[in-house]
């Protein structure tokens, strides 16, 4: 029996594997572990060894493959190739149940618990205390309370989870994992939503788990946390395991240099075009998720917005587009003050938005490609109310050809397309509509390198035609190389601005993280 | 890192599949007719066929209206109650001396208002479609009963009541009413841009909104069309039975939903047609009619209808999964 708390009803589950691995010896070894989605390699063959009882940090940019790695280790997805050794034995890790039964647990960034159940019920979920088939509710509440008190969390076990802050919920999730005979615990950016005080509580818990012999994998963007907690650190970049360092033998600068890829600069196709007049300007724009943002976009330039996920860039874009209410501040369109009350007003002015999530915001997935492309322009393709079928077909086919969308016909459903082709459909919508200001929010997430290059060339074409572009990206090389002006967002505010290559990668990253 | 699984298979074009499915349904309907023709003497008589067409006509019109709503990923549980309520409305108007045409116009307007109220509840109050239409389902019957004080209103306007018994070109006038609804409905759903918007809202309302589609207006439109179709059926029903009674058309909402679903409409939205629910309605009507002719216990009709819904929708699901 391992883990902090023996809740003494585990005999139902057969033996939890003991602890045959001495501290400092390999507990989990990955050999050539690889994950492919279709042709896209989310994780290139990686060799990583986790030592028993260590705190092993994993760092990398968004899209570097960290989430893929966690999902592989916790059995959420199955590997394409490679081997995994647990305590020296080859294992499948094919299902979450298998991972949990071996003692591998994860605490996710987004809390995956039941909001409508109590804290105690969540902590015991799937592993309830029973007597004669009935739940021992009070016993569970008492046991959960004892655990929470012991950890110093100051949380009521009987409270509904939904009444807690996200940070408190994160602590519950951690306590839940700690309670369950865990030998190997993965934290996926656990402090993203925590207050300073909650973070401190969490760190105390992590150290305590380590002292009990639990191996910790700690994934974070925040360098100071990595240096505070970790024994060793592994770096991922573009799905590649770049290297592993002892924490005492490395420093900020080396890790950041390892995280940022310098070899694929050639795909960033940047032409210097004459900059024209100002298309749009915001002054002190404030709304849900962003505060006091002042910036402008001129014809022929790309304005990059960089920041971590949740830094307020997408919210700013939605505010500009009229989807979210703007509470204060002003927007000037070609010199005139405008109020953008809804999406239609934005479109009529000449703003186009390719939103962050293709799946949730960009596409009608179970409709044909053609309908998706024509959606913003059906009023133009119609005579009165009736859609002109010939023009509908012409327009869809033109975009499919121009953008090289790989499909036999426009009647194929958008859901059948790969990420890159789906992004092209979203772009096609706005090319057929036409605009002066194009907002691209994370246009290359889940898109292969070849399509990325096509999308960048398309940017140049739009700029030549006198448009301006706002490019929102969490992928630093992309915004860094393409932007004429680069603005850095942190916690809803615009914290720094640079000209093209006006600052080093390291500076920009530091400004975004706020280290 | 979120990478959509890249499955670049070549799926069959959607329209082709929908025609295939329509033909399958038509085949099923003809198969039933041939089967009944062989096993009974009375099926292919003029009397029975016009009876069948009358039976199916009203469900068919309801199902077409219902389909607009289901395509937007909503549901309208109130249509049966709207039929009962509007039968009372037209009967009350006619017995209070309102001329026939204005009375019909006002009754249809009642349908428009009920639909607008549903959309108001969904769009402005944020209620689920299931809840707001469930609420009007019970309330409308109550209001109708209050108006008539629990009894029925007899209609003495012969021109009105003769209409439902009349034929035109040898086909019951009630069946012509299906075409009066279905042809504009087809143009609206498949040829107009508002039809495209219905599908877009049902598929992903956020994407539709960000593409400049007026989502709220589209939802108003869907529910108003559904309730107006139901009010139209209320007029036809009052004409057919010669009375207005708020308890009439009990359970017709489920008949309408069943017809729509058998006709290939997806309750998840964004999949549906006009011809599908028409065929679905007449398949259900044929089963009822045939069961009567074969002296099958009417309880069995319900069981057969339920089984048919499961079988047809299951095969439709298989087909969809296969085409993904």
């Amino acid at each position: 029996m391992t883990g902090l708390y023996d809740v003494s009803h585990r005999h139902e589950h057969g033996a939890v594997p003991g602890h045959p691995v001495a501290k400092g010896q390999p507990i989990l070894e990955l050999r050539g572990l690889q994950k492919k989605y279709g042709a896209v390699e989310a994780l290139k063959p990686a060799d990583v060894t986790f030592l028993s009882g260590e705190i092993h940090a994993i760092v990398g940019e968004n899209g570097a493959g960290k989430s893929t790695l966690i999902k592989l280790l916790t059995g959420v997805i199955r590997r394409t190739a490679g081997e995994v050794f647990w305590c020296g034995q080859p294992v499948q890790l094919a299902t979450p149940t298998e991972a949990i039964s071996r003692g591998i647990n994860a605490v996710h960034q987004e809390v995956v618990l039941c909001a409508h159940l109590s804290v105690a019920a969540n902590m015991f979920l799937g592993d309830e205390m029973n007597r004669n088939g009935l739940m021992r509710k009070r016993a569970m509440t008492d046991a959960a309370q004892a655990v929470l008190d012991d950890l110093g969390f100051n949380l009521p076990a009987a409270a509904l989870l939904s009444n807690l802050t996200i940070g408190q919920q994160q602590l519950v999730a951690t306590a839940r994992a700690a309670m369950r005979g865990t030998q190997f615990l993965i934290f996926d950016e656990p402090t993203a939503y925590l207050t300073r005080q909650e973070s401190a509580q969490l760190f105390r818990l992590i150290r305590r788990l380590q002292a009990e012999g639990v191996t910790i994998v700690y994934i974070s963007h925040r360098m100071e946390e990595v240096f505070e907690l970790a024994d060793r650190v592994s770096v991922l970049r573009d799905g590649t395991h770049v290297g592993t360092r002892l924490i005492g033998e490395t420093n900020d600068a080396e890790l950041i240099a390892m995280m940022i890829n310098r070899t694929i600069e050639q795909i960033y196709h940047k032409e210097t075009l004459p900059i024209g007049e100002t298309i749009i300007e915001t002054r002190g724009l404030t709304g849900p998720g962003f505060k006091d943002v002042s910036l402008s976009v001129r014809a022929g330039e790309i304005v990059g917005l960089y920041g971590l996920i949740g830094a307020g860039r997408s919210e700013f874009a939605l505010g500009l587009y009229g989807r979210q209410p703007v509470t204060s501040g002003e927007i000037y369109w070609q010199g005139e003050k405008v109020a953008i009350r809804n999406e239609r007003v934005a479109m009529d002015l000449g703003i186009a938005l390719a939103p962050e999530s293709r799946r949730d915001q960009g596409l009608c997935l179970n409709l044909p490609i053609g309908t998706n492309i024509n959606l913003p322009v059906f009023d133009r393709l119609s005579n009165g109310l009736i859609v002109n079928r010939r023009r509908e077909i012409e327009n869809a086919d033109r975009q499919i050809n121009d953008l090289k969308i790989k499909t036999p016909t426009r009647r194929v459903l958008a859901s059948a397309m790969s990420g890159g082709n789906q992004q092209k459909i979203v772009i096609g919508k706005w090319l057929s509509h036409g605009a002066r200001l194009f907002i691209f929010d994370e246009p290359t997430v889940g898109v292969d390198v070849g399509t990325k290059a096509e999308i960048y060339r398309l940017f140049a074409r739009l700029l030549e035609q006198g448009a301006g572009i706002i490019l929102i990206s969490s992928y630093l090389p992309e915004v860094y190389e393409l932007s004429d002006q680069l603005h850095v967002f942190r916690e809803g505010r615009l914290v720094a601005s640079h000209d093209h290559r006006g600052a080093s990668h390291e500076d920009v990253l530091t400004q975004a993280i706020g280290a | 890192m979120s990478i959509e699984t890249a499955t670049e298979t070549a799926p069959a074009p959607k329209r082709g599949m929908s025609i295939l499915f329509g033909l399958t349904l038509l085949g099923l309907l003809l198969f039933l007719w041939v089967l009944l023709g062989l096993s009974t003497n009375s099926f292919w008589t003029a009397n029975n066929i016009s009876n069948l067409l009358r039976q199916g006509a009203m469900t068919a019109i309801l199902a077409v209206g219902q389909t607009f709503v289901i395509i937007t990923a909503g549901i309208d549980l109130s249509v049966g109650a709207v039929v009962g309520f509007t039968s009372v409305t037209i009967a009350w108007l006619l017995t209070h001396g309102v001329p026939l045409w204005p009375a019909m116009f006002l009754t249809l307007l009642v349908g428009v208002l009920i639909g607008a109220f549903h959309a108001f509840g969904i769009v402005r109050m944020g209620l689920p479609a299931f809840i707001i239409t469930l609420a009007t389902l019970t309330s409308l019957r109550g209001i109708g009963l209050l108006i008539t004080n629990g009894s029925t209103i007899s209609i003495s306007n012969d021109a009105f009541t003769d209409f439902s018994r009349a034929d035109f070109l040898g086909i019951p006038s009630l069946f012509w009413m299906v075409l009066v609804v279905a042809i504009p409905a087809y143009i609206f759903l498949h040829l107009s841009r508002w039809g495209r918007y219905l599908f877009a809202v049902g598929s992903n309302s956020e994407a539709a909104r960000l593409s400049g589609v007026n989502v709220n207006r589209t939802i108003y439109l869907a529910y108003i069309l559904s309730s107006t179709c139901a009010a139209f059926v209320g007029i036809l029903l009052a004409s057919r039975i010669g009375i207005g009674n708020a308890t009439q058309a009990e359970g017709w909402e489920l008949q309408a939903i069943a017809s729509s679903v058998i006709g290939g409409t997806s309750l998840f939205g964004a999949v549906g047609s006009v011809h599908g629910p028409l065929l679905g309605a007449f398949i259900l009507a044929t089963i009822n009619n045939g069961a009567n002719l074969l002296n099958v216990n009417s309880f069995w009709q319900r069981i057969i209808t339920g089984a048919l819904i499961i079988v047809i929708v299951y095969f439709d699901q298989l087909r969809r999964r296969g085409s993904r």
Side-chain angles (χ1 to χ4, degrees):
Chain A
M1 199 75 60
T2 56
L4 273 188
Y5 302 97
D6 173 9
V7 196
S8 73
H9 60 290
R10 308 207 138 257
H11 53 275
E12 308 157 25
H13 291 271
V16 171
H19 215 306
V21 180
K23 186 169 164 59
Q25 295 302 306
I27 183 166
L28 185 70
E29 279 180 81
L30 317 179
R31 293 192 197 150
L33 188 68
Q34 185 195 24
K35 179 66 192 176
K36 283 166 106 174
Y37 291 98
V40 182
E41 229 175 355
L43 185 66
K44 296 187 182 113
D47 298 289
V48 187
T49 303
F50 298 96
L51 304 177
S52 177
E54 73 170 340
I55 299 181
H56 192 130
I58 294 179
V59 296
E61 288 212 302
N62 293 318
K66 295 172 300 191
S67 308
T68 308
L69 184 62
I70 302 169
K71 285 184 193 159
L72 286 169
L73 295 184
T74 51
V76 175
I77 54 176
R78 301 185 72 156
R79 60 187 181 250
T80 313
E83 290 176 300
V84 178
F85 292 86
W86 173 254
C87 305
Q89 302 296 315
V91 289
Q92 286 300 320
L93 295 183
T95 65
T97 322
E98 187 194 343
I100 291 168
S101 75
R102 294 190 191 281
I104 301 176
N105 273 296
V107 176
H108 297 279
Q109 184 179 5
E110 316 268 333
V111 180
V112 279
L113 294 174
C114 304
H116 298 94
L117 295 181
S118 72
V119 170
N122 271 295
M123 287 172 66
F124 282 94
L125 193 64
D127 205 11
E128 285 81 0
M129 293 181 179
N130 293 302
R131 184 193 288 143
N132 304 328
L134 298 177
M135 274 202 291
R136 300 173 57 202
K137 213 169 166 186
R138 178 162 317 152
M140 286 196 290
T141 308
D142 292 345
Q145 190 67 60
V147 173
L148 293 169
D149 290 348
D150 186 48
L151 294 171
F153 281 179
N154 190 25
L155 292 172
L160 279 187
L161 193 76
S162 53
N163 292 340
L164 272 47
T165 66
I166 304 277
Q168 290 170 328
Q169 294 183 22
Q170 192 88 54
L171 293 179
V172 172
T174 313
R176 173 184 148 90
M179 208 172 80
R180 295 183 166 223
T182 294
Q183 298 189 25
F184 192 95
L185 188 52
I186 303 165
F187 289 91
D188 184 5
E189 307 205 19
T191 56
Y193 301 108
L194 297 196
T195 65
R196 197 172 292 270
Q197 198 191 351
E198 288 166 337
S199 298
Q201 285 182 341
L202 183 71
F203 285 7
R204 272 203 297 281
L205 173 61
I206 290 175
R207 291 215 180 79
R208 197 164 149 182
L209 288 166
Q210 185 193 20
E212 299 280 333
V214 179
T215 310
I216 308 283
V217 173
Y218 191 88
I219 289 160
S220 182
H221 271 304
R222 299 185 182 173
M223 283 297 153
E224 75 276 16
E225 293 181 354
V226 170
F227 281 97
E228 187 180 337
L229 273 176
D231 300 313
R232 294 198 301 155
V233 52
S234 291
V235 182
L236 292 177
R237 182 184 68 215
D238 292 327
T240 309
H241 174 221
V242 186
T244 300
R245 299 281 184 272
L246 278 169
I247 206 75
E249 294 174 3
T250 186
N251 54 46
D252 277 37
E254 188 194 12
L255 290 182
I256 290 175
M258 287 166 78
M259 279 164 66
I260 298 167
N261 195 344
R262 293 180 187 287
T263 58
I264 56 166
E265 280 178 9
Q266 49 270 33
I267 72 164
Y268 299 106
H269 175 90
K270 174 87 189 152
E271 282 172 31
T272 320
L273 292 159
I275 305 285
E277 80 279 18
T278 302
I279 296 173
I280 196 166
E281 186 185 351
T282 69
R283 292 187 197 158
L285 205 65
T286 302
F290 59 97
K291 213 168 176 188
D292 197 19
V293 177
S294 300
L295 55 80
S296 66
V297 183
R298 292 166 295 176
E301 74 172 348
I302 296 182
V303 174
L305 306 185
Y306 178 72
L308 305 180
I309 286 171
R313 301 161 301 161
S314 302
E315 290 79 0
F316 171 73
L318 288 172
L320 211 53
Y321 193 66
R323 178 68 186 94
Q324 298 269 356
V326 169
T327 49
S328 70
E330 288 145 16
I331 302 173
Y332 292 84
W333 178 261
Q334 298 179 350
E336 278 181 44
K337 190 174 169 190
V338 289
I340 302 179
R341 289 181 309 278
N342 58 46
E343 307 81 16
R344 197 77 228 181
V345 175
M347 283 170 65
D348 290 345
L349 282 175
I351 304 177
L353 171 69
E356 186 179 10
S357 165
R358 293 188 285 272
R359 192 163 284 274
D360 298 333
Q361 304 168 300
L363 291 173
C364 295
L365 282 176
N366 52 359
L367 293 184
I369 296 171
T371 309
N372 273 290
I373 289 175
N374 287 326
L375 198 52
V377 291
F378 272 123
D379 48 350
R380 273 188 236 154
L381 300 175
S382 307
N383 307 319
L385 204 58
I386 304 302
V387 177
N388 183 322
R389 193 121 186 88
R390 190 178 48 79
R391 272 154 59 198
E392 183 184 24
I393 291 168
E394 271 174 16
N395 185 57
D397 285 347
R398 183 178 339 118
Q399 298 304 337
I400 289 170
N401 289 332
D402 283 2
L403 291 167
K404 303 191 189 74
I405 298 173
K406 292 188 196 73
T407 172
T409 117
R410 67 184 179 285
R411 294 197 298 257
V412 173
L413 303 186
S415 57
M417 294 285 101
S418 68
N421 280 307
Q422 288 186 344
Q423 189 63 47
K424 287 181 183 176
I425 299 172
V426 175
I427 294 173
K429 287 206 306 203
W430 295 111
L431 293 186
S432 47
H433 183 266
R436 287 240 40 212
L437 175 70
F438 289 86
I439 306 173
F440 291 98
D441 194 349
E442 303 284 3
T444 59
V445 168
V447 169
D448 58 288
V449 176
T451 308
K452 273 186 190 177
E454 282 181 50
I455 292 175
Y456 300 149
R457 274 197 293 278
L458 184 80
F459 289 174
R461 222 172 77 202
L462 293 172
L463 296 177
E464 276 164 21
Q465 293 163 3
I469 290 176
I470 293 179
L471 171 64
I472 300 175
S473 179
S474 305
Y475 188 54
L476 185 53
E478 177 176 283
V479 265
Y480 187 84
E481 297 298 332
L482 292 172
S483 302
D484 295 284
Q485 287 184 64
L486 176 59
H487 300 298
V488 183
F489 274 62
R490 189 177 71 229
E491 288 160 13
R493 287 173 183 276
L494 201 164
V495 292
S497 302
H498 308 285
D499 291 335
H500 181 55
R501 296 196 182 174
S504 68
H505 275 188
E506 288 77 2
D507 288 346
V508 174
L509 196 56
T510 310
Q511 285 158 352
I513 294 168
Chain B
M1 177 150 194
S2 66
I3 293 181
E4 281 93 327
T5 37
T7 45
E8 208 112 22
T9 50
K14 184 184 171 240
R15 195 161 295 273
M17 289 305 282
S18 118
I19 288 172
L20 199 65
F21 183 69
L23 286 177
T24 313
L25 284 181
L26 191 61
L28 178 64
L29 186 59
L30 294 176
F31 171 75
L32 286 173
W33 285 356
V34 169
L35 199 70
L36 287 170
L38 292 175
S39 52
T40 67
N41 297 324
S42 45
F43 183 78
W44 281 112
T45 58
N47 208 1
N48 187 55
I49 291 297
S50 58
N51 198 20
L52 171 66
L53 293 181
R54 286 200 182 94
Q55 279 176 5
M58 290 195 263
T59 320
I61 295 172
L62 285 182
V64 169
Q66 182 74 247
T67 301
F68 291 135
V69 167
I70 297 180
I71 284 173
T72 67
I75 192 93
D76 189 348
L77 293 179
S78 73
V79 291
V82 173
V83 172
F85 181 75
T86 49
S87 79
V88 170
T89 311
I90 185 129
W92 190 90
L93 290 170
L94 289 176
T95 52
H96 284 72
V98 179
L100 186 55
W101 287 102
M104 294 209 297
F105 175 77
L106 287 173
T107 308
L108 291 178
L109 189 66
V110 166
V112 170
L113 292 177
I114 293 168
F117 177 71
H118 290 154
F120 176 84
I122 292 161
V123 169
R124 299 279 163 220
M125 299 166 74
L127 300 176
F130 190 95
I131 297 300
I132 183 85
T133 57
L134 182 66
T136 43
L137 160 73
T138 83
S139 314
L140 282 177
R141 296 231 189 255
I143 297 170
L145 288 168
L146 270 183
I147 292 173
T148 62
N149 207 7
S151 63
T152 57
I153 303 177
S154 300
I155 301 169
S156 51
N157 187 327
D158 288 342
F160 180 65
T161 49
D162 285 349
F163 172 78
S164 64
R165 289 179 208 118
D167 285 357
F168 179 67
L169 301 178
I171 291 171
S173 50
L174 280 181
F175 185 76
W176 285 109
M177 290 304 107
V178 175
L179 298 185
V180 165
V181 171
I183 290 170
Y186 181 87
I187 293 171
F188 176 81
L189 187 65
H190 295 293
L191 303 182
S192 86
R193 65 188 148 104
W194 285 102
R196 303 284 199 281
Y197 294 163
L198 286 179
F199 284 101
V201 168
S203 175
N204 185 344
S205 65
E206 184 63 22
R209 190 187 302 271
L210 291 175
S211 302
V213 174
N214 191 328
V215 173
N216 292 351
R217 206 193 295 170
T218 310
I219 287 173
Y220 268 94
L221 196 66
Y223 284 88
I224 287 175
L225 285 171
S226 175
S227 290
T228 309
C229 283
F232 186 57
V233 173
I235 295 172
L236 297 181
L237 181 69
S239 161
R240 187 160 190 219
I241 60 180
I243 55 169
N245 186 325
T247 60
Q248 285 295 323
E250 191 92 53
W252 284 21
E253 61 280 344
L254 298 182
Q255 292 273 333
I257 294 168
S259 304
S260 188
V261 166
I262 288 173
T265 314
S266 162
L267 286 174
F268 298 110
V271 179
S273 64
V274 167
H275 57 268
L278 294 182
L279 288 167
F282 283 100
I283 287 173
L284 284 186
T286 304
I287 289 172
N288 287 340
N289 178 282
N292 285 334
L293 294 182
L294 291 168
N295 270 330
V296 176
N297 187 328
S298 75
F299 304 148
W300 274 105
Q301 294 176 20
R302 296 172 180 235
I303 298 172
I304 293 168
T305 306
L308 190 73
I309 291 173
I310 294 175
V311 169
I312 290 184
V313 176
Y314 176 66
F315 278 107
D316 193 32
Q317 285 295 327
L318 286 185
R319 174 180 72 91
R320 274 178 224 290
R321 247 176 268 157
S323 75
R324 281 280 150 83

